[in-house]
Amino acid sequence: MRALGVWDEFWFWNVQYVQIYSSSLKRGLWALAFTSNFNLLTKNFVLYWVLGAAGLLALGTPVLNGRKRLILLSLAIFSFAAVAPGRRFYGHYWLQFLPVLALAMGALFYHLGKGLAVLFRRLNMQPVVAVAAAVILLLPVVRYSPTLFKGDSHRLLRAMSPGNPFVEDKVLSDVLKSKMRAGDRVAVLGSEPQYYIYLDKKAPSRHFYMAFTMRPIPESDAWQQEALGALTTLAPRFIVFNFVEYSWMPKEKSNMTLYEGSYKYARTNYRPIAWADMLSLKETKFILDESQARQYRPAGKRYVTVYEREEARNSSGVERSGQ
């Protein structure tokens, strides 16, 4: 990190900010966060976690040699340590624990094979254990195959991340892709960096995840000025503004300069060309016709607006009429 010239940033985000983030959670709520998120994580897949826990318990037996047991136990400890910082225990944090869960299940079946081989010395128990393991592990996959392989991805996203505009982001990015020309810029105001992936575009500034700029910390004022300055200087053809609290995550003492300044800039210099009006956690009304979008007023508490710069609209309109 020092050789790349980003040591200060590395130290801030990996040491200093972690302490700020952890201390911002009210005392005693970490246990509730752990319980609620772990329950959501295991609700439909208890079998996997039971097998993994049994595999970890089996490390206390001498079937595996001491070195392998130490490696697995250390991996389990460090994997959980990767989930714990911040004490939020969000579901996606646990992705870092799943590899050791899989290895623990493998260790369990290995132990079973060894134990059965002792009990039934005349029989080859490895195929039996392998078939049993395959059946046990595939049962949840078969049970949820309609959702996993043929399900409505929109419904699944809304069920897993209620209130987040992930479905809306993809629909609106497709609208933008159909309108953008080579060299066009886009600014996404909020914390939805997936637009830049969908559109293969770079953000106007390094602060493409703007929820971090809303933290009531000394650095946020300069960050907000930097992000707002990049927006007004580059004047991108398109702006996506997220009126979703999860996208900005303001705190009680947050500086609102970026939010208010970017909204004023968009309303003054741009016109709405599309809306995703999130009427409820399960229903969104999309306004994708430009003429309707100009007059539309959102009915939901959460919505996303796509804006196009005024002069860009006029010039593109001339080009289209010329064609």
Side-chain angles (χ1 to χ4, degrees), residues 106-117:
L108 175 64
F109 293 124
Y110 178 79
H111 279 71
L112 286 175
K114 290 290 187 180
L116 291 174

Side-chain angles (χ1 to χ4, degrees), residues 146-218:
T147 299
L148 294 173
F149 301 111
K150 301 178 182 178
D152 182 347
S153 60
H154 288 187
R155 182 180 63 81
L156 186 60
L157 277 171
R158 290 192 170 111
M160 296 300 295
S161 304
N164 286 282
F166 296 142
V167 172
E168 293 72 17
D169 294 339
K170 185 62 172 68
V171 172
L172 294 179
S173 68
D174 288 342
V175 172
L176 279 169
K177 186 178 293 186
S178 68
K179 296 177 180 294
M180 296 187 80
R181 302 188 298 267
D184 283 344
R185 292 179 176 272
V186 60
V188 182
L189 300 174
S191 301
E192 314 296 332
Q194 53 267 35
Y195 279 94
Y196 299 118
I197 304 298
Y198 294 147
L199 301 172
D200 193 22
K201 296 289 183 180
K202 290 185 177 181
S205 83
R206 59 179 179 153
H207 303 291
F208 57 83
Y209 197 84
M210 293 179 178
F212 282 127
T213 70
M214 305 297 285
R215 309 294 192 217
I217 57 178

Side-chain angles (χ1 to χ4, degrees), residues 112-131:
L112 286 175
K114 290 290 187 180
L116 291 174
V118 172
L119 292 175
F120 305 96
R121 296 180 182 275
R122 296 182 180 182
L123 298 176
N124 183 4
M125 298 306 298
Q126 287 186 345
V128 177
V129 173
V131 171

Side-chain angles (χ1 to χ4, degrees), residues 225-263:
Q225 291 295 338
E226 181 183 342
L228 185 58
L231 174 68
T232 57
T233 300
L234 294 176
R237 180 183 172 190
F238 297 102
I239 286 178
V240 180
F241 205 108
N242 289 272
F243 296 89
V244 181
E245 68 272 27
Y246 302 124
S247 190
W248 290 89
M249 305 229 15
K251 307 298 180 184
E252 184 178 350
K253 297 181 180 180
S254 290
N255 182 347
M256 301 300 290
T257 298
L258 176 58
Y259 181 89
E260 295 171 354
S262 59
Y263 177 68

Side-chain angles (χ1 to χ4, degrees), residues 22 28 36 62-63 75 82 94 159 202 204 209 220 240 253 256 301 317:
S22 299
S36 59
V63 176
L75 183 61
W94 289 89
K202 290 185 177 181
Y209 197 84
S220 65
V240 180
K253 297 181 180 180
M256 301 300 290
K301 294 182 179 180

Side-chain angles (χ1 to χ4, degrees), residues 71-132:
I71 289 174
L72 279 175
L73 184 60
S74 299
L75 183 61
I77 293 172
F78 283 108
S79 296
F80 182 77
V83 176
R87 297 180 297 180
R88 265 70 171 181
F89 301 102
Y90 293 137
H92 55 284
Y93 289 11
W94 289 89
L95 288 171
Q96 299 171 102
F97 194 80
L98 295 187
V100 74
L101 182 69
L103 288 172
M105 285 190 281
L108 175 64
F109 293 124
Y110 178 79
H111 279 71
L112 286 175
K114 290 290 187 180
L116 291 174
V118 172
L119 292 175
F120 305 96
R121 296 180 182 275
R122 296 182 180 182
L123 298 176
N124 183 4
M125 298 306 298
Q126 287 186 345
V128 177
V129 173
V131 171

